[in-house]
Amino acid sequence: MASEQQLSAIKGAKVLMVGAGGIGCELLKTLALSGFKDVHIIDMDTIEVSNLNRQFLFRQSHVGQSKAKVARDAVLKFRPNISITPYHANVKDPEFNVDFFKQFNVVLNGLDNLDARRHVNRLCLAAGVPLVESGTTGFLGQVTVHIKGRTECYECQPKPAPKTYPVCTITSTPSKFVHCIVWAKDLLFAKLFGDKNQDNDLNVRASDASSSSQQSEDVFERKNEEDIEHYGRRIFDHVFGYNIELALSNEDTWKNRNRPRPIYSKDVIPVEPVSQNGNQAKNLVAGNPSSISAMASLGLKNPQDLWSLKENSAIFLEALKLFFSKREKEIGNLTFDKDDQLAVEFVTAAANIRASSFGIPLHSLFEAKGIAGNIVHAVATTNAIIAGLIVIEAIKVLQNDIKNYRMTYCLEHPSRKMLLMPVEPFEPNKSCYVCSETPLTLEINTHGSKLKDLVDKIVKAKLGMNLPLIMHGSSLLYEVGDDLEEDEVANYAANLEKVLSELPSPVIGGTILTVEDLQQELKCSINVKHREEFDEEKEPDGMVLSGWTQPLAVEKNGKGSTDNGASTSRVSETTSLVMEDDDELQIIPAQIAKKRKLSDISSAASSDASSFRNEAKFKRKAEEADNNNDVVMLDGGSSENSKKKREQ
Amino acid sequence: MDGEELTEQETALYDRQIRVWGADAQRRLSKSHILVSGLKGTVVEFCKNIVLAGVGSVTLNDDRLVTEELLSANFLVPPDETVYSGKSLAELCCDSLTDFNPMVRVSVEKGEVSKFSADFFDKFDVVVISSCSLSTKQSINEKCRKSLKRIAFYTVDCRDSCGEIFVDLQNYIYTKKKNDEAVECLLEYSSFEEAVSVPWRSLPRRVSKLYLAMRVIEKFEELEGRIPGETSAADLPKVQKLRKELCEAQLLDESQIPDSLLERLSEGRREFPPVCAVIGGILGQEVIKAISGKGDPLKNFFFFDAMDGKGIIEDIFRQKS
Ligand SMILES: [Zn+2]
C-alpha cells in the first residue's frame, strides 16, 4: 500500500501520458487504481482489431474510434471521480508546446516509435519536466527515468537506426528471406504500383549496364490494350526469369555463392487461364477495396499456410490482375501498407518466388506480413508489468526521491536470479547534443550540396527536428511555420535549391550554423567543414555529421551499389544482430549491454538497490562481489549458464 | 498438435501474440481450463491477462460479498453499491471478464475452495489460489498432485508493496532451443509443503528476505486462526515474538528478517495497484508458459518488492530422500 506521503504526492499530481496503446491502456488503469486524480492522455491512433488482444480497455465495437477517448471512458467506469483529459492528436502537433508540457509534474511515455520518443524527450528537457520512458517487445521491456541534468536523457545513448540493407544484397544477392521481402516491397511493389518518378533499383545491371537499363525502361509499363493476363506473365518472366539470367551472366558474383535459378511463369503455371471459375463475381460483390483478395479468389484461407511455388505464382498473377482491374485508380500512388490485404498478398508471393529462385526457405503470409510491416511482437503481460513499474517510478519522481530512481529491465531469462532488474540511472552524456550544448561537426561539400540536402539529411533525418530554423550569424537561411509571410516562404524555398556556398549568406568551411527547433526548444551549433569527396557506399548521404550519438546500424540503403557485393554479408549480419524485431525496439541491444557492464558494476556500490534501508555496508559488498559475474542479458546465448543450474 | 486450426477470427485477434509464441501455443492455450480462487487485485490482473491471451475457460471462485476495500485494486467492478450490493466478488468479476474476450468461457464456482474434493480439480489444467491459509495451500496442492493428469499449481499473495508467487509443476518436461536445436529439459518441483519445510539454514545463500518474512506472517495467521491477509499494525509485537521463536528453532539470526519488512507486511492489507500489475503480469506469463510449453518456467518462488524494484526467482527445493 502507498504511504501517506505517497498518497498526497499522487493526489496532487498532474500527469501527462503519451500513448494509449498496449502500455498506455495498462498504465491508465494502474494510475487510476493507484489514486491519480488528474491525467491527460495524447494518442493520435484509432482502435484496430489486432489491438484487442492486449489493449483491454477496447472492445470490438470500438474499432475505428479514438484510443485516447475510449480509454478515458473505459477507466471512468471503474474510477468515476477522477479527471482524464483525452487528446485525439499527434504529440508533435504545435499545440503541445513547451508551455503545454510545463503544466505537468511528470510525463509518462507509452509510445511505439523513435521519432515521437525523441520529440517528447526534447519537450520534457525544455520544459524541465521529468520523463518516465518505456518500451516492450515480446517478453522484454524496460522503464527509464529522465531528469534534466540528473540522469541521461532519452537521446544520450545511441538508438538503433532503422534497419537498411545494401542495395546489391537486395537487387542481386539475397541470402535471407527479409532481403526478398525488401525487394518485393520497396522495389517491385513500388515500381508497379507506386510513384513512377521515384528512383528505383529494381533492374539488375548486366555486365554492359547501359544498354540493358535503357531497353528495360518500359518493361513495367502496361502497353495499350495489353491483356492483363499477358501483362502479368510478362512482368513475372522479366523479374523472375530474365533478370535472374542477366544476373547469372555476372560470373564473379557467383564464385562463392549458390547460383539462383530463373523461373518463368509457363513452367510453373501452364498458359491456359488459371482461375476464372466464377470467382470474379465474388470480388465484385465485395466492393470495398480492402476486401479484394487474391487468396479469396483462389480459395486459399489460412494465412499461416506455406504456399507452394505454384500457389505463390498464382497469387502473384491474381493479385497483379486485381490491382489493375479493381484498384486501377490507386496505381501510381500506392505505398505498401501492412493492413492492405492485397498488397500483403502480392509482396508475400513475390518474395516467395524470389526466395525459391535463390534457394531461401519460403514463408507464410502471416510471417511475411510481420516482416514486411515491421510488426512489433506484443503480449499483454509484459505491458502490464511495465505499466506497474512506470507508476512505481512516477511516484518516486513526484516525491523527488532522487536517490531511489531506477531504470528497470524486464528480462525473458533471469540474470542474477532476477527477472526484473533495477539499475541506477546513468548520468547525462556530456557530449549529447540534445541535453548538453556540445557543438556538432558537419563535413560537407559546400560547393556541391544544396541547403535542401542539409535540411533533409541532417536537420530532419538525423537531428529529428520537426519545425527547424537555420541561422548563419544573424541571417535566417531557412524556417518553417504557419505564420510566415508569402515572400519569406518564397525566399526560403529559393534558398533550399541553392548550393551552400551560394546562399545569400554563404556557408563555407569554418561557418558556424545555428539550428533550432522552436517547438522542441532545442538549439545546437554546427561547425561546417568543407570536404570535396565522399565514399558513395560508406557515406551515402554525401555528408558526415559527427559529435552526435550515432545510431548503431548505420549502413544505409545506399545508392552506390556494386555488382559484386563483396562486403554485404558482414553488414547484414551486424544489422540483424542489433535489430531482431523492429526499428522501434527500445530494448538495449547487446552491444550497449556490454558497454554498460563496466559502468553498472562500478556504480553498484552506491546503486545496489538492496541497500535501500539500514542494511550493513559489508553485506552489500559481499553481495556485490557475488553479483559481478553477470550483466544485463537479453534473449542471447549467455543466459544458458544461469539455466543450467536449474536443469536437474 | 492435433491438426485443429485457429479460426480466421482467432488469427486476427491474436496476431501480435502468435508472433511471440506461435500458433501451436495459441491452440494449446485455447484448450486450457483454469481455476482461480481469491479475487483480490493481483488475481484480477492475472485473470485479465489470461482472458486476453485466449485460454479456453476460466472458473472463478470467491464468495465474499463485495466491499469497498476488496475493490481497492479492482478495475472489473464499478465502485457503485447499487451495482455490487448482494453479489459475490466472483459473480461481479465474471460479468466483466466475459466482456474482455468473447472467445473465453468465464464462469463462477461457488463454495469454499478448501472443501472441494480432489476430483473437482481434475477438470483443470491450472489452479491458482490466493488469499488463503497455509493449510489450504498445502491441501489443495496435494489434491492437485494426486490427480492422474498434471495440474499446474500456483499460489500468489501481495501485501503492502511486496508480492510472492509459488509454482508447482511437479515433473515438468519442456523443450527449449539451444543453438537452434530443440533440447528436452526436465524440471522437478517440490510441493508447497515440501518447499516451506526446507530448513532455513539450508536455503540458498542470500535468499530473499521476503521469503522468510512471508513464512513468519503465514505461520502467524495460521496459529491465530486469522482470515488470510487480515493482520494489522497491532499484531506486530506478536509477529516479532513468533519470528524470534522460529529463528531460534531454525538457528537463523533474527536480523535476517528485518522489523521494517515485518511491519510493512503485517500492516499492508490494502494492495498497492502497481505491484498487483507486476505480480499479476509475471503470474500470467508463467501460466502461459506452462500451458504452451514455450519458454523456461520459473522454479519455484518469485518475489517482488517495489521498495528495491527487484523481481527475484528463488529455487527452494526439497531433495527427495
Ligand atoms: Zn542527452
Side-chain angles (χ1 to χ4, degrees):
Chain A
M1 186 187 102
S3 68
E4 289 307 314
Q5 300 98 298
Q6 282 179 331
L7 282 176
S8 74
I10 289 170
K11 280 188 185 144
K14 188 168 181 179
V15 176
L16 176 64
M17 277 179 59
V18 191
I23 295 175
C25 280
E26 295 287 340
L27 182 56
L28 188 59
K29 171 259 300 165
T30 305
L31 286 173
L33 290 176
S34 304
F36 283 83
K37 299 274 185 231
D38 189 2
V39 183
H40 293 234
I41 179 163
I42 305 176
D43 197 311
M44 68 188 291
D45 284 345
T46 53
I47 296 158
E48 290 175 33
V49 171
S50 64
N51 299 150
L52 302 178
N53 79 318
R54 61 195 187 289
Q55 300 178 15
F56 77 100
L57 298 174
F58 310 145
R59 301 284 174 272
Q60 189 73 42
S61 61
H62 297 134
V63 169
Q65 298 181 40
S66 153
K67 287 188 175 179
K69 290 180 179 162
V70 174
R72 168 189 183 269
D73 296 346
V75 168
L76 288 183
K77 281 192 184 138
F78 62 84
R79 284 297 176 270
N81 299 320
I82 67 173
S83 159
I84 302 175
T85 313
Y87 306 85
H88 183 204
N90 188 337
V91 69
K92 290 171 97 174
D93 290 347
E95 57 176 309
F96 305 119
N97 55 17
V98 173
D99 281 336
F100 174 85
F101 273 71
K102 275 185 177 157
Q103 62 182 306
F104 299 102
N105 300 99
V106 64
V107 174
L108 313 176
N109 267 358
L111 281 163
D112 62 0
N113 71 85
L114 186 65
D115 228 31
R117 284 190 171 106
R118 291 170 71 175
H119 187 81
V120 173
N121 180 47
R122 290 160 190 203
L123 282 160
C124 286
L125 285 167
V129 179
L131 169 66
V132 182
E133 172 62 75
S134 68
T136 66
T137 299
F139 294 116
L140 304 176
Q142 69 175 35
V143 173
T144 51
V145 187
H146 306 283
I147 315 268
K148 189 179 183 179
R150 290 276 184 176
T151 69
E152 64 178 6
C153 82
Y154 176 71
E155 293 173 86
C156 276
Q157 296 290 336
K159 295 289 172 292
K163 57 187 154 197
T164 51
Y165 301 93
V167 164
C168 43
T169 305
I170 302 305
T171 58
S172 323
T173 56
S175 58
K176 290 179 177 171
F177 188 67
V178 63
H179 302 151
C180 301
I181 287 280
V182 173
W183 175 86
K185 181 179 85 157
D186 294 350
L187 299 181
L188 186 60
F189 183 87
K191 183 82 186 175
L192 290 171
F193 310 119
D195 184 352
K196 301 274 184 270
N197 299 319
Q198 289 281 316
D199 287 349
N200 193 307
D201 293 299
L202 184 60
N203 275 311
V204 184
R205 267 158 276 182
S207 331
D208 53 343
S210 55
S211 66
S212 74
S213 72
Q214 262 169 9
Q215 56 158 246
S216 66
E217 211 35 65
D218 340 303
V219 162
F220 294 96
E221 284 297 317
R222 185 177 168 193
K223 301 193 178 80
N224 280 343
E225 313 276 310
E226 185 177 16
D227 172 58
I228 184 65
E229 174 80 23
H230 181 266
Y231 172 65
R233 283 179 178 269
R234 196 163 58 74
I235 298 294
F236 187 113
D237 293 345
H238 181 79
V239 297
F240 301 117
Y242 173 77
N243 269 358
I244 300 288
E245 306 257 18
L246 213 57
L248 281 168
S249 67
N250 272 321
E251 285 300 332
D252 278 357
T253 312
W254 312 109
K255 268 184 191 150
N256 301 308
R257 288 191 177 86
N258 291 328
R259 299 171 66 87
R261 170 176 70 100
I263 300 174
Y264 289 94
S265 66
K266 67 176 181 342
D267 301 331
V268 189
I269 299 178
V271 176
E272 283 315 297
V274 208
S275 60
Q276 301 288 358
N277 38 9
N279 286 312
Q280 294 290 58
K282 196 159 75 187
N283 271 318
L284 275 177
V285 177
N288 174 4
S290 67
S291 64
I292 296 173
S293 156
M295 277 174 79
S297 308
L298 298 174
L300 295 171
K301 285 215 174 71
N302 189 344
Q304 309 235 18
D305 282 344
L306 217 52
W307 301 331
S308 64
L309 176 59
K310 185 172 176 180
E311 284 166 324
N312 277 298
S313 304
I315 290 278
F316 179 92
L317 294 173
E318 181 67 19
L320 193 110
K321 193 192 294 175
L322 288 172
F323 268 120
F324 275 88
S325 56
K326 301 285 188 294
R327 296 175 58 178
E328 202 163 6
K329 283 194 198 111
E330 297 166 69
I331 290 174
N333 301 312
L334 277 165
T335 48
F336 177 81
D337 173 357
K338 68 176 180 344
D339 296 317
D340 179 342
Q341 172 69 18
L342 192 59
V344 173
E345 291 171 349
F346 178 83
V347 164
T348 303
N352 273 329
I353 300 167
R354 185 163 173 87
S356 173
S357 184
F358 281 85
I360 296 168
L362 308 195
H363 286 65
S364 70
L365 177 118
F366 178 82
E367 294 164 316
K369 178 178 171 180
I371 301 167
N374 272 336
I375 294 178
V376 188
H377 301 187
V379 282
T381 49
T382 317
N383 289 336
I385 296 166
I386 289 300
L389 296 172
I390 293 172
V391 177
I392 291 170
E393 287 313 312
I395 295 172
K396 292 185 211 165
V397 167
L398 293 172
Q399 296 178 281
N400 206 20
D401 185 9
I402 297 167
K403 63 179 193 308
N404 289 316
Y405 295 163
R406 293 292 177 272
M407 44 196 220
T408 307
Y409 298 102
C410 177
L411 308 174
E412 186 170 6
H413 304 293
S415 164
R416 293 191 243 163
K417 297 204 293 188
M418 280 185 268
L419 273 182
L420 302 175
M421 183 153 99
V423 178
E424 181 156 304
F426 295 110
E427 298 204 328
N429 174 357
K430 290 197 180 66
S431 60
C432 172
Y433 74 95
V434 178
C435 68
S436 78
E437 279 163 18
T438 312
L440 300 160
T441 301
L442 176 67
E443 292 175 76
I444 191 167
N445 185 336
T446 53
H447 305 306
S449 296
K450 292 177 182 171
L451 183 63
K452 182 175 188 295
D453 301 324
L454 177 79
V455 170
D456 290 345
K457 293 173 181 172
I458 301 295
V459 178
K460 287 188 178 159
K462 291 217 162 45
L463 301 183
M465 289 190 177
N466 199 24
L467 297 172
L469 174 153
I470 303 175
M471 288 177 79
H472 177 199
S474 59
S475 93
L476 256 171
L477 297 176
Y478 181 68
E479 191 180 1
V480 214
D482 297 334
D483 51 351
L484 299 178
E485 302 291 334
E486 252 174 61
D487 58 327
E488 289 176 305
V489 174
N491 191 17
Y492 294 138
N495 278 356
L496 280 180
E497 295 306 324
K498 285 183 184 147
V499 166
L500 295 178
S501 60
E502 289 160 16
L503 282 162
S505 166
V507 173
I508 52 172
T511 298
I512 298 176
L513 289 174
T514 305
V515 185
E516 198 172 346
D517 187 305
L518 294 175
Q519 190 193 358
Q520 301 173 345
E521 291 197 7
L522 171 65
K523 187 174 177 178
C524 50
S525 318
I526 300 180
N527 297 330
V528 176
K529 269 191 187 168
H530 173 76
R531 191 171 126 195
E532 281 299 316
E533 303 275 334
F534 290 87
D535 182 325
E536 275 188 53
E537 189 78 5
K538 288 184 191 142
E539 301 159 335
D541 287 339
M543 56 190 84
V544 176
L545 184 70
S546 48
W548 71 304
T549 47
Q550 190 83 358
L552 290 165
V554 279
E555 207 61 39
K556 274 282 179 184
N557 203 341
K559 294 283 169 212
S561 71
T562 56
D563 282 330
N564 65 22
S567 63
T568 53
S569 63
R570 179 184 52 80
V571 172
S572 55
E573 266 163 38
T574 29
T575 315
S576 70
L577 171 79
V578 178
M579 299 300 317
E580 214 48 74
D581 280 298
D582 167 63
D583 59 343
E584 284 137 26
L585 188 72
Q586 245 274 140
I587 311 300
I588 43 161
Q591 287 167 5
I592 307 183
K594 268 178 210 150
K595 221 190 283 170
R596 286 186 171 187
K597 178 175 183 175
L598 285 176
S599 56
D600 268 4
I601 291 165
S602 61
S603 67
S606 58
S607 79
D608 182 357
S610 76
S611 65
F612 218 85
R613 291 233 145 155
N614 21 357
E615 286 177 73
K617 265 188 188 156
F618 70 86
K619 237 184 258 162
R620 242 187 291 151
K621 289 283 176 204
E623 250 188 81
E624 199 193 312
D626 265 0
N627 289 343
N628 278 354
N629 48 1
D630 267 321
V631 82
V632 181
M633 273 184 304
L634 299 176
D635 217 352
S638 48
S639 54
E640 296 304 331
N641 288 337
S642 52
K643 252 175 284 160
K644 263 182 206 144
K645 291 176 213 150
R646 299 195 284 123
E647 289 160 24
Q648 318 260 343
Chain B
M1 282 292 290
D2 34 4
E4 271 181 57
E5 284 180 358
L6 295 171
T7 62
E8 257 174 83
Q9 191 192 6
E10 287 171 313
T11 312
L13 176 64
Y14 302 131
D15 183 284
R16 298 300 188 269
Q17 66 197 39
I18 292 174
R19 294 179 192 283
V20 176
W21 53 59
D24 265 359
Q26 190 64 50
R27 275 191 288 272
R28 282 188 209 113
L29 276 174
S30 69
K31 291 190 181 121
S32 63
H33 304 289
I34 298 174
L35 173 69
V36 178
S37 177
L39 296 172
K40 286 189 77 177
T42 308
V43 178
V44 166
E45 284 278 348
F46 164 74
C47 291
K48 171 206 66 188
N49 293 335
I50 54 165
V51 167
L52 290 175
V55 296
S57 76
V58 181
T59 304
L60 306 173
N61 169 259
D62 195 326
D63 295 347
R64 283 180 286 184
L65 291 180
V66 171
T67 60
E68 226 184 280
E69 188 192 311
L70 274 180
L71 293 185
S72 70
N74 188 320
F75 52 88
L76 295 178
V77 184
D80 175 355
E81 231 175 308
T82 59
V83 178
Y84 68 66
S85 80
K87 283 195 168 183
S88 74
L89 194 50
E91 285 168 330
L92 286 159
C93 291
C94 178
D95 294 347
S96 184
L97 279 171
T98 310
D99 220 29
F100 278 17
N101 186 348
M103 285 186 264
V104 178
R105 289 186 309 283
V106 188
S107 61
V108 174
E109 183 72 38
K110 291 194 177 220
E112 172 57 44
V113 70
S114 59
K115 309 239 160 65
F116 292 156
S117 66
D119 24 313
F120 171 77
F121 294 97
D122 285 345
K123 288 185 274 187
F124 302 100
D125 304 288
V126 174
V127 170
V128 174
I129 58 171
S130 180
S131 319
C132 65
S133 68
L134 173 61
S135 55
T136 304
K137 287 180 188 175
Q138 293 177 347
S139 78
I140 295 175
N141 192 183
E142 287 316 311
K143 285 174 190 167
C144 291
R145 285 199 150 226
K146 282 196 189 104
S147 173
L148 291 175
K149 71 169 192 191
R150 192 174 51 79
I151 302 173
F153 174 82
Y154 299 82
T155 71
V156 58
D157 283 293
C158 280
R159 284 162 180 270
D160 192 78
S161 48
C162 303
E164 174 185 83
I165 297 173
F166 166 79
V167 184
D168 177 15
L169 302 181
Q170 302 172 36
N171 288 329
Y172 183 77
I173 299 169
Y174 70 107
T175 48
K176 69 172 179 189
K177 279 213 168 138
K178 212 170 192 173
N179 309 327
D180 267 358
E181 268 175 72
V183 186
E184 219 165 66
C185 303
L186 169 69
L187 291 176
E188 252 183 281
Y189 286 78
S190 291
S191 70
F192 190 79
E193 192 165 4
E194 287 165 342
V196 300
S197 66
V198 171
W200 287 1
R201 300 205 36 112
S202 338
L203 289 171
R205 221 157 53 82
R206 291 188 296 107
V207 72
S208 167
K209 292 177 172 38
L210 256 179
Y211 171 77
L212 300 168
M214 288 297 272
R215 302 288 77 78
V216 175
I217 298 279
E218 192 176 70
K219 191 85 188 166
F220 173 79
E221 289 178 341
E222 182 83 359
L223 292 172
E224 296 270 314
R226 295 293 178 87
I227 298 169
E230 302 282 295
T231 51
S232 69
D235 293 319
L236 192 60
K238 278 186 170 175
V239 172
Q240 285 166 324
K241 187 166 163 277
L242 180 61
R243 169 186 63 184
K244 189 161 188 282
E245 289 165 21
L246 291 173
C247 284
E248 275 167 10
Q250 299 266 8
L251 306 172
L252 189 81
D253 192 314
E254 260 190 88
S255 67
Q256 292 296 310
I257 312 174
D259 278 333
S260 56
L261 187 55
L262 280 186
E263 202 180 317
R264 284 170 62 207
L265 295 185
S266 22
E267 275 178 35
R269 328 178 9 173
R270 273 179 97 95
E271 294 166 292
F272 185 42
V275 173
C276 298
V278 171
I279 295 286
I282 298 277
L283 182 60
Q285 219 152 282
E286 287 307 314
V287 166
I288 290 166
K289 279 186 208 166
I291 298 170
S292 65
K294 290 263 162 102
D296 313 330
L298 75 80
K299 177 172 181 287
N300 56 346
F301 280 89
F302 178 80
F303 296 95
F304 178 72
D305 184 350
M307 284 282 244
D308 64 15
K310 285 183 185 174
I312 295 180
I313 297 173
E314 294 288 358
D315 187 357
I316 297 173
F317 179 71
R318 174 121 199 170
Q319 290 293 341
K320 298 216 173 60
S321 47

